[in-house]
């Protein structure tokens, strides 16, 4: 298994996202090649991919500066349903942690639906602590 930072978007990567995104969010619009290129060209996002013979997982690490410092979030972690249970999400997440740490980041945030039992257990095993906070969203 290879975990790497995507720096260019190939048709294979676009195809992989066409399979992965519906598994993460069935109602979400599929990202176009241009959408994915914008992500990898951004100074604020890092797209990590897990590849065996083909791309089987992804994780996005998002950096942004606010008055209190640099915040980092892990977003859109997804592993192909046929490859789950093989430690791929763990490798992706640890890779993201190591990457952020090497850049002096002192904390990383993420959210995970309570229904994603395996994912929540994984994040706790990796050292993430459940926060006592309210999460809000407004749909526009």
């Amino acid at each position: 298994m290879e975990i790497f930072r995507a720096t260019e978007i190939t048709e294979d990567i676009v195809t992989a996202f066409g399979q992965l995104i519906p598994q993460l969010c069935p109602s979400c619009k599929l990202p176009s090649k241009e959408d994915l290129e914008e992500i990898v060209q951004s100074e604020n996002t890092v797209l990590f991919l897990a590849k065996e013979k083909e791309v089987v997982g992804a994780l996005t690490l998002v950096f942004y500066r606010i008055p209190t410092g640099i915040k980092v979030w892990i977003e859109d972690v997804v592993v192909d349903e046929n490859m789950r249970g093989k430690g791929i999400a763990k490798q992706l997440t640890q890779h993201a942690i190591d990457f952020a740490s090497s850049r002096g980041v002192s904390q990383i945030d993420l959210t995970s639906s309570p229904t994603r039992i395996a994912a929540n257990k994984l994040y706790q095993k990796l050292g993430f602590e459940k926060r006592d906070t309210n999460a809000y969203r407004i749909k526009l």
Side-chain angles (χ1 to χ4, degrees):
M1 178 66 53
E2 175 189 10
I3 306 293
F4 65 98
R5 179 181 183 174
T7 56
E8 63 179 301
I9 300 300
T10 64
E11 287 305 320
D12 289 344
I13 292 172
V14 175
T15 299
F17 273 89
Q19 296 170 356
L20 292 170
I21 293 301
Q23 295 176 50
L24 176 67
C25 177
S27 63
C28 289
K29 177 181 158 259
L30 295 180
S32 67
K33 182 173 186 180
E34 292 76 20
D35 294 331
L36 295 169
E37 286 173 342
E38 187 175 336
I39 291 167
V40 300
Q41 292 170 6
S42 170
E43 294 179 9
N44 300 321
T45 54
V46 180
L47 180 62
F48 292 112
L49 301 175
K51 183 175 183 179
E52 218 167 53
K53 293 178 183 175
E54 56 191 32
V55 173
V56 296
L59 176 151
T60 306
L61 192 61
V62 182
F63 294 77
Y64 62 99
R65 180 172 288 284
I66 58 173
T68 56
I70 295 175
K71 298 276 274 188
V72 179
W73 279 82
I74 289 176
E75 294 282 352
D76 289 353
V77 180
V78 60
V79 173
D80 185 88
E81 59 195 356
N82 297 318
M83 298 297 289
R84 292 180 187 161
K86 298 182 178 190
I88 297 169
K90 180 179 180 181
Q91 290 179 57
L92 279 164
T93 307
Q94 189 61 59
H95 198 84
I97 292 168
D98 295 344
F99 182 89
S101 178
S102 74
R103 280 151 179 77
V105 172
S106 61
Q107 67 183 31
I108 301 172
D109 292 306
L110 62 78
T111 60
S112 185
S113 169
T115 61
R116 297 183 64 215
I117 295 167
N120 282 279
K121 286 181 181 179
L122 167 65
Y123 299 138
Q124 291 172 27
K125 280 184 184 178
L126 289 171
F128 286 87
E129 297 175 359
K130 189 173 179 184
R131 295 177 62 198
D132 186 22
T133 188
N134 295 328
Y136 295 94
R137 173 176 290 153
I138 185 171
K139 293 194 177 203
L140 305 175

